[in-house]
């Protein structure tokens, strides 16, 4: 078996064992040398793959074989593997292993151990039949799931090395939620508690508050603040079926097959900042709740007395042209569609329209609900904005269908006259300047 092979037994092996190893090599056709010579292709038999002596042998370029590899080769009647790296045992012979998501130092350690145990380490998933990973979600992980490649944790390699045997693979499979942080929304308390228990059991982490560290959000419908912020942060919003399918298959299922469907109407309501209930706010973390309230304050202009403004907008119209219009006092304070100068009040603008009445035939505005039955301020403001948008559309249609050029010119002239009058009245009286005697003498000479 070892014919035409030259061996040199390392000095780190005990004397009695060393003699026994030399006898075994000679009995199987090998030749034993005392000194190492790289040019003669002498194989060095080593018992310990660590320490300064082993590192010097690796640096010298000598072919290194472990004592267990010699014994396994004799036992199985197989020739020694021809490799360029040291080999200690043949436990991983025939295994092609790839890794993903490991730190550089950890990856190098796993690579060396795979080589020491007779395996092959590659960088592409296409050539491998086993994948070492610490969390799910990477591209290599998804390809391994598609190709039905076993996905193991790094502890499997360490266990094989320390025990010098092939550890059972089924005990070291990567959990389906390893590296995942899950949160739920819109589910019952019983379902939420069961999901929390199963997530922890299968290698994941559960959090009741949505944070940017979350990777998945379980929900049944595309509603709520959690769902909206999850979309903004790139969190996977999946159904509960994805969760249980991953547990049944013992692998993280493809999220794209379990996204929550959302129509146009739900999308408009979801991204409406006013449609926010106190229940949704309470489900957010304190930091996220504070952020949402600040964003809501920036994006919509809400007066100090929001409830009073909403009641004004929903109040029955007085002096308006269209059915369902807001009253003129509200129009004078807020510029909706007509740019009213600050010096002219809105009733003067509406007086021209009252001379030529116009009623929309296509629009019908719903009656305002009683104020004492409205508890949700967000719903109240949303209804107010809907009424205002319809009023703006009616005014736009009115000015588009009827020619108001004469009235507008008259209004512009009146605005200019009123502005000039107010400017003259607001100017302080000018004091007469007393001339100096020299100036008076100069003026007299000119006259």
């Amino acid at each position: 078996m070892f014919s035409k092979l030259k061996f040199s037994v390392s000095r780190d092996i005990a004397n009695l064992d060393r003699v026994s190893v030399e006898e075994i090599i000679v009995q199987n056709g090998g030749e034993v040398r005392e000194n190492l010579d790289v040019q003669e292709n002498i194989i060095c038999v080593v018992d310990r793959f660590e320490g300064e002596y082993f590192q010097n042998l690796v640096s010298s370029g000598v072919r290194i074989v472990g004592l267990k590899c010699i014994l396994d080769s004799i036992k199985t009647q197989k020739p020694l593997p021809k490799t360029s790296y040291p080999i200690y045992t043949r436990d991983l012979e025939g295994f092609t292993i790839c890794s993903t998501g490991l730190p550089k130092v950890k990856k190098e350690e796993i690579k060396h151990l795979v080589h020491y145990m007779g395996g092959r380490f590659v960088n592409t998933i296409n050539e491998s039949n086993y994948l070492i990973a610490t969390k799910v979600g990477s591209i290599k992980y998804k390809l391994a799931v598609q190709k039905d490649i076993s996905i193991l944790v790094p502890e499997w390699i360490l266990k094989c090395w320390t025990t010098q045997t092939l550890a059972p693979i089924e005990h070291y499979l990567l959990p389906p939620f390893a590296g995942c942080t899950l949160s739920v929304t819109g589910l019952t308390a019983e379902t939420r508690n069961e999901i929390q228990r199963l997530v922890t059991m299968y290698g994941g982490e559960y959090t009741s508050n949505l944070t940017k560290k979350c990777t998945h959000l379980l929900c049944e419908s595309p509603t709520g603040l959690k769902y909206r912020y999850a979309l903004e942060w790139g969190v996977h919003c999946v159904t509960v079926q994805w969760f249980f399918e991953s547990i049944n298959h013992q692998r993280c299922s493809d999220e794209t097959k379990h996204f929550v469907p959302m129509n146009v109407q739900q999308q408009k309501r979801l991204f409406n900042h006013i449609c926010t209930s106190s229940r949704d706010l309470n489900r957010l973390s304190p930091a996220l709740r504070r952020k949402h309230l600040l964003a809501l304050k920036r994006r919509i202009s809400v007066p100090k007395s929001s409830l009073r403004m909403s009641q004004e907008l929903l109040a029955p119209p007085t002096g308006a042209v269209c059915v369902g219009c807001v009253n003129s006092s509200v129009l004078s304070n807020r510029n909706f569609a007509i740019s009213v100068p600050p010096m002219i009040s809105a009733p003067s603008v509406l007086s021209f329209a009252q001379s030529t009445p116009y009623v929309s035939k296509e629009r019908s505005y719903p009656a305002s609900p009683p104020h004492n039955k409205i508890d949700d301020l967000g719903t109240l403001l949303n209804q107010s904005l809907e009424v205002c948008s319809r009023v703006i559309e009616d005014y736009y249609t009115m000015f588009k269908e009827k020619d108001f050029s004469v009235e507008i010119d008259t209004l512009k002239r009146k605005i200019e006259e009123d502005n000039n009058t107010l400017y003259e009245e607001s100017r302080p009286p000018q004091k007469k300047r007393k001339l100096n005697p020299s100036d008076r003498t100069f003026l007299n000479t000119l006259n």
Side-chain angles (χ1 to χ4, degrees):
M1 180 181 296
F2 298 148
S3 60
K4 299 182 181 181
L5 294 179
K6 302 175 183 180
F7 295 88
S8 175
V9 182
S10 174
R11 62 174 181 267
D12 64 342
I13 302 177
N15 293 330
L16 295 177
D17 295 337
R18 184 176 180 182
V19 173
S20 300
V21 171
E22 291 178 352
E23 292 178 356
I24 292 174
I25 292 175
V26 172
Q27 291 175 3
N28 288 273
E31 182 182 351
V32 179
R33 296 290 185 90
E34 292 294 333
N35 298 324
L36 287 174
D37 192 351
V38 180
Q39 297 179 357
E40 294 183 3
N41 296 326
I42 297 178
I43 302 175
C44 182
V45 181
V46 183
D47 189 27
R48 296 174 56 191
F49 273 41
E50 59 183 1
E52 184 178 356
Y53 178 71
F54 174 74
Q55 296 298 332
N56 293 333
L57 290 177
V58 174
S59 302
S60 63
V62 179
R63 185 180 174 185
I64 305 173
V65 175
L67 178 59
K68 192 174 185 302
C69 182
I70 297 289
L71 299 178
D72 291 342
S73 300
I74 296 174
K75 184 178 180 180
T76 58
Q77 293 297 310
K78 292 182 179 180
L80 290 177
K82 296 181 180 180
T83 59
S84 59
Y85 42 81
I87 178 171
Y88 184 81
T89 179
R90 309 181 72 154
D91 293 334
L92 296 183
E93 189 174 12
F95 285 68
T96 305
I97 298 174
C98 180
S99 67
T100 179
L102 300 181
K104 187 176 181 181
V105 178
K106 189 70 173 180
K107 181 179 178 180
E108 291 295 324
E109 180 185 359
I110 296 296
K111 179 180 178 180
H112 290 321
L113 293 180
V114 170
H115 287 166
Y116 293 165
M117 289 185 285
R120 181 166 168 254
F121 190 89
V122 295
N123 293 323
T124 57
I125 192 66
N126 296 329
E127 304 176 11
S128 64
N129 48 20
Y130 291 91
L131 178 66
I132 304 298
T134 56
K135 60 182 180 180
V136 303
S138 64
I139 297 178
K140 289 184 179 180
Y141 180 88
K142 295 179 180 179
L143 292 175
V145 172
Q146 292 179 1
K147 296 185 176 183
D148 198 17
I149 296 175
S150 299
I151 306 172
L152 308 172
V153 294
E155 286 74 13
W156 176 68
I157 300 291
L158 301 177
K159 186 67 175 180
C160 294
W161 175 252
T162 54
T163 60
Q164 296 299 314
T165 57
L166 184 62
I169 295 177
E170 58 273 11
H171 296 167
Y172 295 92
L173 294 175
L174 183 69
F177 304 126
C180 296
T181 303
L182 280 74
S183 183
V184 300
T185 180
L187 303 180
T188 61
E190 296 178 357
T191 306
R192 189 183 304 111
N193 295 334
E194 183 66 13
I195 288 176
Q196 181 178 359
R197 183 183 68 85
L198 293 175
V199 166
T200 308
M201 181 184 300
Y202 288 98
E205 182 181 353
Y206 178 84
T207 175
S208 57
N209 296 327
L210 182 69
T211 62
K212 290 187 177 181
K213 295 181 180 180
C214 290
T215 57
H216 296 80
L217 177 67
L218 303 182
C219 53
E220 289 295 336
S221 59
T223 56
L225 285 178
K226 276 189 176 181
Y227 184 85
R228 201 184 88 200
Y229 278 102
L231 291 181
E232 291 183 5
W233 295 343
V235 178
H236 294 295
C237 300
V238 292
T239 59
V240 182
Q241 285 73 16
W242 168 87
F243 179 77
F244 291 104
E245 182 179 314
S246 300
I247 294 177
N248 294 333
H249 295 168
Q250 287 297 307
R251 296 189 177 185
C252 184
S253 299
D254 188 4
E255 294 88 356
T256 58
K257 299 180 180 179
H258 298 276
F259 283 158
V260 181
M262 179 171 54
N263 53 32
V264 179
Q265 184 179 2
Q266 290 173 333
Q267 184 177 2
K268 290 182 179 179
R269 179 172 178 81
L270 180 66
F271 289 96
N272 188 356
H273 291 271
I274 300 179
C275 297
T276 302
S277 63
S278 58
R279 181 184 177 187
D280 288 337
L281 286 175
N282 292 333
R283 289 180 175 181
L284 299 178
S285 61
L288 187 56
R289 188 186 306 121
R290 184 165 53 254
K291 176 185 175 182
H292 178 77
L293 293 176
L294 291 176
L296 184 64
K297 185 177 180 181
R298 287 196 304 268
R299 297 183 185 182
I300 60 174
S301 178
V302 180
K304 295 181 180 179
S305 180
S306 301
L307 183 60
R308 181 178 59 80
M309 182 199 72
S310 304
Q311 293 175 353
E312 289 179 358
L313 291 176
L314 291 176
T318 56
V321 180
C322 306
V323 179
C325 283
V326 296
N327 54 23
S328 58
S329 61
V330 177
L331 283 176
S332 62
N333 295 329
R334 295 164 184 85
N335 298 328
F336 290 110
I338 307 173
S339 179
V340 182
M343 303 302 298
I344 302 299
S345 60
S348 61
V349 178
L350 297 177
S351 61
F352 296 102
Q354 291 173 356
S355 61
T356 57
Y358 172 85
V359 178
S360 174
K361 298 181 180 179
E362 299 179 357
R363 294 285 187 182
S364 60
Y365 299 97
S368 302
H371 302 310
N372 54 1
K373 294 183 179 181
I374 298 177
D375 298 327
D376 194 353
L377 179 59
T379 306
L380 186 64
L381 292 176
N382 191 22
Q383 294 175 357
S384 305
L385 290 179
E386 290 180 0
V387 173
C388 292
S389 61
R390 295 179 182 179
V391 171
I392 292 171
E393 292 181 6
D394 279 337
Y395 271 112
Y396 178 77
T397 306
M398 179 180 67
F399 280 100
K400 189 175 181 180
E401 294 180 357
K402 185 174 178 59
D403 187 12
F404 289 94
S405 58
V406 179
E407 289 82 355
I408 291 176
D409 293 338
T410 306
L411 179 61
K412 287 182 179 180
R413 288 195 299 270
K414 187 176 180 181
I415 291 173
E416 293 178 358
E417 293 176 358
D418 292 344
N419 287 337
N420 293 333
T421 303
L422 292 175
Y423 176 73
E424 293 295 337
E425 292 178 355
S426 61
R427 289 182 62 186
Q430 295 183 357
K431 296 181 180 180
K432 293 183 179 181
R433 180 184 175 187
K434 294 183 180 181
L435 298 178
N436 295 328
S438 58
D439 297 335
R440 190 181 299 276
T441 305
F442 178 73
L443 290 175
N444 292 333
T445 54
L446 293 177
N447 295 331

